[in-house]
């Protein structure tokens, strides 16, 4: 699991919006994978401990019972999150799947991280399983020097939609929107019929999920396909 190490997202007006990874998007897939008997390694740029977006633990992020479970899982997994591997030292070829959880954090660091971008480009070209959730597809922007040469051009993909970004109140001050960027690089973008519905897209070796609600479905689809 390649995670953002950012704790903010720089908005169009220069302000820093506090963020990080979205709790459910780490916890749900991690537990699906480990319940299936898989060994999971967490890696971040520089090996820095990722920051949980506090909004993902607050009112509106889920019902109280679910949020209590997510918080308990984060507490249990604190040793994993507090000591991630340095992404630069990880050989992605040693892993069956590379999975990127979302949150707004990837918009700040993974979208411009060349180490991550090289992993994405190599993996998608070699047809090795690769998955990205919610805002994490922003990382594909670092997989090429410009949008016209993206190795992800022509792939069916999803990710956090413009409508969803508008509904969380960040679209107007966003320096760019993920849906627009995916379309710009030539991906065939799609989203759920209604905002916040679970939506998973699989195209060849590439798996993408639209939003936090897609977390479990995406992870279960990967386990189902790969065994």
């Amino acid at each position: 699991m390649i995670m953002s190490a950012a704790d903010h997202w720089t908005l169009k007006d220069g302000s820093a919006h506090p963020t990080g990874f979205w709790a459910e998007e780490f916890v749900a897939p991690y537990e699906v994978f480990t319940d299936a008997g898989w060994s999971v390694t967490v890696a971040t740029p520089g090996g820095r401990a990722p920051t949980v977006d506090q909004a993902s633990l607050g009112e509106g992020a889920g019902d109280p019972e679910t949020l209590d479970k997510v918080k308990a899982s984060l507490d249990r997994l604190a040793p994993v999150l507090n000591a991630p591997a340095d992404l630069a030292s990880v050989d992605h070829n040693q892993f069956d799947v590379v999975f990127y959880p979302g949150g707004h954090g990837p918009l700040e660091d993974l979208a411009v991280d060349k180490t991550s971008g090289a992993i994405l480009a190599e993996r998608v070209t070699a047809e090795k399983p690769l998955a990205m959730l919610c805002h994490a597809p922003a990382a594909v922007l670092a997989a090429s020097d410009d949008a016209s040469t993206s190795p992800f051009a022509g792939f069916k993909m999803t990710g956090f939609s413009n409508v969803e970004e508008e509904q969380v109140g960040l679209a107007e001050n966003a320096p760019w929107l993920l849906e627009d960027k995916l379309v710009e690089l030539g991906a065939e973008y799609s989203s759920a019929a209604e905002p916040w519905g679970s939506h998973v897209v699989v195209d060849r070796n590439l798996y993408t999920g639209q939003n936090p609600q897609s977390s479990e479905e995406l992870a279960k689809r990967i386990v189902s396909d790969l065994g």
Side-chain angles (χ1 to χ4, degrees):
M1 297 181 88
I2 296 178
M3 300 180 67
S4 168
D7 62 5
H8 70 280
W9 178 28
T10 305
L11 299 178
K12 190 162 54 178
D13 64 3
S15 62
H17 174 71
T19 187
F21 70 90
W22 198 259
E24 182 183 1
E25 296 176 24
F26 164 70
V27 167
Y30 189 97
E31 293 185 339
V32 168
F33 296 147
T34 54
D35 286 351
W38 292 11
S39 173
V40 180
T41 296
V42 171
T44 65
R48 297 186 297 277
T51 299
V52 63
D53 189 326
Q54 291 301 312
S56 68
L57 301 174
E59 187 177 349
D63 63 82
E65 183 180 355
T66 299
L67 287 176
D68 285 345
K69 289 180 179 177
V70 169
K71 291 173 186 176
S73 293
L74 284 178
D75 288 342
R76 179 175 57 83
L77 295 171
V80 174
L81 290 168
N82 289 337
D86 184 343
L87 184 57
S89 69
V90 171
D91 179 3
H92 72 91
N93 292 303
Q94 300 301 313
F95 295 87
D96 298 293
V97 184
V98 169
F99 185 101
Y100 284 68
H104 284 96
L107 303 175
E108 183 72 20
D109 60 354
L110 295 179
V112 295
D113 189 287
K114 291 301 183 183
T115 300
S116 169
I119 290 171
L120 289 167
E122 290 170 16
R123 218 164 163 92
V124 77
T125 303
E127 301 181 358
K128 295 183 175 182
L130 172 65
M132 292 171 282
L133 178 57
C134 198
H135 286 92
V140 306
L141 301 180
S144 59
D145 290 332
D146 66 68
S148 65
T149 59
S150 174
F152 291 86
F155 274 85
K156 296 181 174 68
M157 296 181 68
T158 189
F160 205 64
S161 69
N162 289 355
V163 170
E164 289 166 331
E165 204 70 83
E166 289 164 7
Q167 291 185 356
V168 299
L170 290 171
E172 188 173 343
N173 199 20
W176 45 269
L177 298 175
L178 177 59
E179 178 182 333
D180 292 344
K181 287 293 187 181
L182 293 179
V183 171
E184 182 183 317
L185 62 79
E188 295 182 33
Y189 178 87
S190 68
S191 59
E194 297 291 336
W196 311 107
S198 179
H199 183 60
V200 170
V201 174
V202 181
D203 186 357
R204 290 160 278 179
N205 59 311
L206 180 63
Y207 295 74
T208 50
Q210 181 178 332
N211 45 33
Q213 289 76 8
S214 310
S215 302
E216 190 169 335
E217 182 186 348
L218 177 61
K220 286 184 173 179
R221 174 64 187 270
I222 294 167
V223 169
S224 174
D225 285 357
L226 302 182

